[in-house]
Amino acid sequence: HKYSSTGYSSLDNKMNPFWTKCASYLPYAYSPNMVTVTGLFCQLSSILLISLYDLTFSERLPTYVYFFCAFMLFMAQTLDAIDGKHARNTKRQSSLGQLMDHGCDSMDNFLFSIVLTQAFLFGNTIHSLVVQIVIQIPFYIFTLEEHVTGKIRTQFYNIGVTEYQFFSMGLLILSGIFGEPLVFLEIFGIRLSYIILYAICFSASIQAIHLIMLNSNSI
């Protein structure tokens, strides 16, 4: 099995030296699939911590919780980036490893959507469902494209998964620092969190439509 991508975004290129260095420190005994699963547990730890305080996703949590979630997202991002590098370094790349990576990524997306729901204090509303849909649909489209073309896309017009992840880390940190005044800040009578959510929706929709058009002859 050989990993094949359509290229890297600007942040991917900036982060690659760091990820390569991290991968070089992993011992051979630590299998690539374990690296992948460890990243999943990072996201699970965020959900477990949030659940200790609130299960409605509508209450303000202690500041350190948001900082912890941002750090765990960074760790999950790093582990997701280096599992393939570790597999190639140790010559253990396989289709099973690729399936494991995608499977854990899909669960990571679900878990992280819950973290964002809590950070935005959306609670039991339609906006929480929209967060789930917005995060999962692009991942599904990218996976379908990989199935059709044999190449995985992690960026689109030089903006990719890494950019969205760092943007989300920033939102979590800002939410931890400023709390409810930021979450409920209104611009022209509309909550800022709603504006951010639906701006991401629009971006994801454009990406999905364009990718479908690019691969329409192959599907």
Side-chain angles (χ1 to χ4, degrees), residues 83-117:
D83 56 0
K85 295 181 185 299
H86 183 52
R88 290 186 288 276
N89 289 343
T90 57
K91 294 180 172 54
R92 287 185 285 183
Q93 60 266 48
S94 67
S95 55
L96 175 61
Q98 187 82 335
L99 177 63
M100 175 73 77
D101 186 277
H102 285 348
C104 287
D105 283 346
S106 65
M107 288 186 280
D108 279 341
N109 285 343
F110 168 71
L111 294 172
F112 182 65
S113 66
I114 296 177
V115 175
L116 282 185
T117 297

Side-chain angles (χ1 to χ4, degrees), residues 39 41-43 45-46 67-77:
F41 276 107
C42 287
Q43 292 287 50
S45 66
S46 295
F67 291 167
F68 178 83
C69 291
F71 178 70
M72 285 296 105
L73 175 57
F74 176 76
M75 290 299 299
Q77 175 198 69

Side-chain angles (χ1 to χ4, degrees), residues 117-174:
T117 297
Q118 169 61 52
F120 285 143
L121 302 180
F122 282 153
N124 185 23
T125 66
I126 187 63
H127 303 292
S128 298
L129 178 60
V130 170
V131 171
Q132 291 278 350
I133 294 172
V134 167
I135 289 178
Q136 292 291 2
I137 285 183
F139 176 78
Y140 177 82
I141 295 294
F142 290 154
T143 305
L144 177 62
E145 183 186 31
E146 182 189 11
H147 175 72
V148 171
T149 67
K151 293 181 179 291
I152 185 169
R153 186 186 299 273
T154 59
Q155 51 79 34
F156 192 80
Y157 286 129
N158 213 25
I159 297 176
V161 176
T162 305
E163 280 77 7
Y164 283 119
Q165 288 173 331
F166 274 110
F167 178 71
S168 299
M169 290 177 216
L171 287 177
L172 288 169
I173 292 171
L174 289 174

